[in-house]
Structure formats: C-alpha cells, structure tokens
Amino acid sequence: MGYLTEDQHKTVSAAVADAELNTSGEILTVLADRSDGYTDVALLWAAAISFTAMSAFAAFPQPFLDLWDALIGGWSHEWTTGELASMTIALGLIAFVVSWAVQQWDPLRFLLIPAPVKTARCHEQAIKHFKVGAERRTHGRTGVLIYLSMSEHRAEIVADRSIAEKVDAEVWGEAMGDMLAHIKRDRIAEGLAVGVRDVGFVLAQHFPRGDEDENELPDRLIEV
C-alpha cells in the first residue's frame, strides 16, 4: 500500500538531494508497510491457545460437557474415554483454527507480536535493504540507510563501515528523535525529510563533499 503522494515523495527526494550537497556521503531512504509477515508468531499463538484449550478441558471437563449437552439439546450421559479424547482433539483443532483466523486481522496480529520481535525483524529487514541498496555501492563506502516500517512503528538508521568507524550509533539518536516526532503526528514525509537533514549534517562534518564528488545512489524514496 502507498503511504505518500507523489508530491510527498518529491519532498523526501529533495531533502536527500539538499543534504548531499555538503557531503560525500550517500543517503538512501526506504519506507516499508511491514518488515515481516510474522507467520511463525501467529502459528505459535495458535498452537499455544490450542494447547491451553485442551489443557483446560482435561483439567475441568464437566463445564464443557454440560455446555455441549445444552447446545445439542440432548440428555446428559456417561462419556466414554474415546468420546472424551475426541472432544479434546476437537477443542484443540477449533481453538487453533479460530485463533489463526482472527490473527489474519492485521491490528490484532501486530498487537500480539512481542515488541522485541518487531524490533529484531525491522533491524534484519533494514540490514537487508542496506546490503542490497547501499553497502559497497559508494566509492568511499559512505552510504547511510534510513528505514521506516509503518506497521511495526519502528525506524532504523544503518551506516556503512567507514561511517560507523567515525560516528557512534548514539549520534543518530537526535536524527531519529526529530524524525519520529513528526511521524507520530502522521507527518511521514516531513519526518523523513527532517531525518535526512540531520543525517546529512552529521555526514558533512565527517565526510565533506569534494570537488569531484558524484551522486552514486538515487535520491528518490523507495516505498515497498
């Protein structure tokens, strides 16, 4: 899905072009809807809920059996071991299918994903985009990726080796803070533009633009 209009894309691209006027560093921006499908997490939740349902039935079977008798309008009867086993398996399957199905609704799915998992998946995806789009693609290995993942509400700044050797990771904290302040108010393009500006300022201090410097990476925002 697209989050930004054409004009908003131009706003971010213009910010990248302006930031690179004073530095030999190259800035790449990526806006993603999500960093992962989290199928494994959904499966784990479905399995856990299924096991919980079966365990609850095994520990307290009578309420379930009474409910079943009431639903089918039948007389209470003595349940055999085979019938109890079948009921246990049926409850587990129903719980699994229902819990899997409801997790297909994105708001609930992302609510159930633990925060550390979201952070880790976003970081992994940012690294992948960096390796494909920026790593070793500049003459001085001076590429920086600004990665924003909307569904997880996460952002990453990944720098090439020569930059990381001179700029501590904490330095990017101000750029991240300025960027997220706008994004939290649903001003995505403005937030990315501010983040680009701050990153460009840092790069200009350590990697000033030379007379023969060329633009090696595209200025445009990549939306995936």
Side-chain angles (χ1 to χ4, degrees):
M1 63 178 296
Y3 286 92
L4 302 183
T5 64
E6 184 177 350
D7 287 341
Q8 289 172 322
H9 271 264
K10 290 179 180 179
T11 296
V12 179
S13 299
V16 174
D18 289 343
E20 292 179 351
L21 289 175
N22 299 312
T23 177
S24 61
E26 296 285 339
I27 302 172
L28 185 67
T29 54
V30 176
L31 173 64
D33 174 50
R34 63 192 63 195
S35 293
D36 193 59
Y38 300 99
T39 301
D40 56 334
V41 179
L43 283 171
L44 285 173
W45 273 114
I49 293 170
S50 175
F51 180 79
T52 300
M54 290 189 291
S55 299
F57 177 73
F60 308 101
Q62 199 57 50
F64 291 92
L65 299 178
D66 291 342
L67 177 61
W68 176 258
D69 287 334
L71 289 174
I72 64 173
W75 296 95
S76 296
H77 68 279
E78 292 295 326
W79 288 74
T80 65
T81 301
E83 289 175 331
L84 290 173
S86 297
M87 178 65 79
T88 303
I89 294 171
L91 279 173
L93 288 174
I94 292 171
F96 184 91
V97 171
V98 171
S99 57
W100 171 262
V102 298
Q103 288 183 86
Q104 302 314 299
W105 186 47
D106 280 347
L108 178 60
R109 171 179 291 209
F110 281 91
L111 180 65
L112 293 175
I113 300 169
V117 175
K118 292 180 184 177
T119 300
R121 299 287 169 89
C122 288
H123 181 71
E124 292 171 5
Q125 196 65 19
I127 294 297
K128 288 180 182 179
H129 280 288
F130 177 75
K131 288 181 178 296
V132 172
E135 188 177 39
R136 299 180 181 179
R137 294 189 61 184
T138 59
H139 178 71
R141 299 188 68 175
T142 54
V144 176
L145 169 72
I146 299 177
Y147 176 78
L148 183 63
S149 191
M150 299 302 296
S151 293
E152 291 89 350
H153 297 169
R154 297 291 191 279
E156 294 274 346
I157 296 177
V158 183
D160 223 328
R161 178 179 299 176
S162 59
I163 296 175
E165 290 174 350
K166 292 186 177 182
V167 182
D168 292 333
E170 292 77 12
V171 174
W172 305 121
E174 183 176 348
M176 187 74 75
D178 290 345
M179 179 173 67
L180 294 181
H182 288 274
I183 293 172
K184 288 177 181 178
R185 298 198 298 270
D186 202 31
R187 301 176 60 188
I188 301 171
E190 292 82 354
L192 284 169
V194 168
V196 166
R197 179 202 66 192
D198 290 354
V199 168
F201 179 77
V202 173
L203 290 176
Q205 293 179 311
H206 298 278
F207 301 91
R209 185 181 180 92
D211 294 335
E212 299 181 359
D213 187 76
E214 296 181 0
N215 191 15
E216 299 173 282
L217 294 179
D219 295 337
R220 66 180 180 85
L221 169 68
I222 299 173
E223 191 169 357
V224 295

